[in-house]
Amino acid sequence: MNIHEYQAKTLLRQFNVPVPEGRVVHNDTHAALAAEEMGGERWVVKAQIHAGGRGKGGGVKLVDSIEAVRQAADALIGSRLVTPQTGPEGRLVQRVLVEQAQQISGEYYIGLLLDRAQQRITIIASAAGGMDIEEVARATPEQIVRETVDPAVGLLDFQCRKIAARIGLTGKLMGQAAKLMRGLYRCFRDTDALMLEVNPLAVVEGNRLVALDAKISFDGNAMYRRTAVADLRDFDEEDSKEVEASGHGLNYIALDGNVGCIVNGAGLAMATMDAISFHNGKPANFLDVGGGASPEKVGNAFRIVLQDPNVK
């Protein structure tokens, strides 16, 4: 389960992670009012969709007047934003985040993910903030710092200081980074997250660390015990067929092929998709009806799959 940037930042505040002051709005008038309330001379207007690469797609606008804030919000809200992660169809922008612009003197990357091979939470950091971490890892892997957390003891202070030192943070910034990392780790652990990414983690005003952008995804299977997090789910950002399928207890993921798949068991479903691809076909979906499926469940599966006009 994914959430919006503004929701991620609200969560991070609860774990004492510093984030910029901002307001989420749904129209241009409220965007201008939000900028007036926050004050300042420059603002950032950021489209809120479940996709990365918003800056490359024109979804992040830096402006220097209240009228420019209004115009930027008006241009974004109601548009379809195309980024490297949305595909050519783009995503409908229904809200924007208005924040005070920051005086940035340094940018870093920090992320936490679940390393299934080691069965540990792993922290990944880099001095190359503001860039795609996948590209950094490919082109300059020596710039990537990794640190594995032992679940028996949690994230330790010496690990935080080691990470901070290896990405070039010193003095007071090292202490701030250690506190920030501990907050990120608690947020990751206590919300059943699968991935938490801060990019960039910025040095502002020369002496203060702030999470300028944040992205969090969660383990959907754990949301029954994380109701506060589950309430953040935005169904408008998800495929309507996937939303309906989850309501019927079906594991469904839409794809771009034309062969509909209805399979009993996740492993067999993956093998079926592999077999289709091996014979130069393209599956239209992944669908696991689960063990002991009832006639009603199978019927719902057929109906959802056949709603896809690409299924031949």
Side-chain angles (χ1 to χ4, degrees), residues 10 22 40 52 65 137 147 158 170 174 188 227 233 245 248 257 288 296:
T10 299
S65 72
E147 188 72 21
F158 87 89
T170 59
M174 179 178 285
F188 188 97
T227 54
R233 185 177 179 184
H248 294 298
D288 169 24
E296 291 76 20

Side-chain angles (χ1 to χ4, degrees), residues 164-185:
R166 289 188 63 190
I167 63 176
L169 294 172
T170 59
K172 292 182 178 180
L173 290 177
M174 179 178 285
Q176 291 181 42
K179 181 179 179 181
L180 182 144
M181 287 181 217
R182 291 193 298 269
L184 293 177
Y185 174 75

Side-chain angles (χ1 to χ4, degrees), residues 121-142:
I121 295 172
T122 297
I123 299 178
I124 299 175
S126 176
M131 299 175 60
D132 292 334
I133 196 64
E134 296 85 0
E135 178 61 23
V136 175
R138 185 193 66 80
T140 54
E142 68 277 3

Side-chain angles (χ1 to χ4, degrees), residues 184-205:
L184 293 177
Y185 174 75
R186 290 195 303 272
C187 179
F188 188 97
R189 179 196 64 194
D190 295 350
T191 61
D192 281 310
L194 293 177
M195 188 277 297
L196 191 162
E197 183 178 65
V198 173
N199 190 24
L201 171 65
V203 180
V204 302
E205 301 168 4

